[in-house]
Amino acid sequence: MDERVMERAGETLRAGGLVAFPTETVYGLGGSALDAQAARRIYEAKGRPSDNPLIVHVADMEHLERIVREVPDAARRLAEAFWPGPLTMILNKNELVPYGTTGGLETVAVRMPSDGIALELIRRGGGYVAAPSANTSGRPSPTTAQHVFEDMDGRIPMILDGGPVSIGLESTIVDLTEEIPTILRPGYISLEMVQAVLGEARMDRGLISDDSGVRPKAPGMKYRHYAPRADLKIVEGPVDRVVSYINEQADRPGRVGIICTEETKGRYPKGDVKCIGTRKNELSIASHLFAVLREFDEDGVEAIYSESFRAPGLGEAIMNRLLKAAGHQKIDVTDRS
Ligand code: AMP
Ligand code: MG
């Protein structure tokens, strides 16, 4: 961390400008959260629909207290357990937070990241940094400074490079304005971890239901997201059947991409094979997912087939992102011979 660079980054934020920076989840595109103009610049740089609210990043508990109507007991307990870290809480906002930051909502999303550069930037930038993922709207979230550069070059004055992120999926969002604490977006902090602290918590029905009649509560979860340019499909079933199905698809003209793991990578003789990590360590899969989707864009494949990563805990978050990237296209090969 270079003192002069951090000072300039803080100044840029305080003057209403934008700075991209690393967090432990993904790279964020930061602007002052209490400045509606800065929020507008964020939406503009990302091409993000303005009804999709921003997460406010803070570096200490006192700053949380200053922007919400009250800090419920559940929020204190979750903060104690998981802050700084990959958990975002939805609370009722007060008049300090402009509607430009919350997409017109009376509630505000708040997180305290654990990354050292992020914390230092928040402190120097005035204490409240609105920061969505630093990708162009619709593209996979950036997990390296290079990804940010690809999407934001020429649009923002500064990118802080902290190397590759450690988690690679956006924060878990938990809504504390409802009677039962509700997870609106799965992430590294699982439902079980939240339940262990609060006793009671549930998943937003809009997330678990395949029935498209139920809308997710987080405005951002309704958008197509993370989508690679090629047509992506997820193949589910016993591993041998999955491998042979994908091999059949790869055996045809046109470039076919394959997303697999250490355990299966030697079994795909054809296609553009990308090993995403190992099933023995789900974090290795989470942290490479978005980078792999971006690589396929560069390779120019026409179709992508991915193995499925369904599992409790982090697997929920991985599958949530992968299914969105695939526009929910799944192929179940369980009954194929
Ligand atoms: P990103 O900034 O790209 O990590 O996305 C932020 C996510 O948080 C989006 O899905 C938003 O819709 C969601 N979000 C932010 N603020 C709120 C809020 N007040 N209520 C519900 N969801 C929110
Ligand atoms: Mg995003």
Side-chain angles (χ1 to χ4, degrees), residues 26 46 48 52 132-135 139 141 170 185 225-226:
V26 300
K46 278 179 68 73
R48 175 169 176 142
N52 186 3
S133 50
N135 52 288
R139 290 209 77 200
S141 299
E170 302 85 347
R185 175 171 74 183
H225 216 166
Y226 319 122

Side-chain angles (χ1 to χ4, degrees), residues 74-89:
R76 286 189 200 284
R77 274 150 58 205
L78 287 177
E80 181 104 359
F82 303 120
W83 277 10
L87 182 79
T88 295
M89 299 195 257

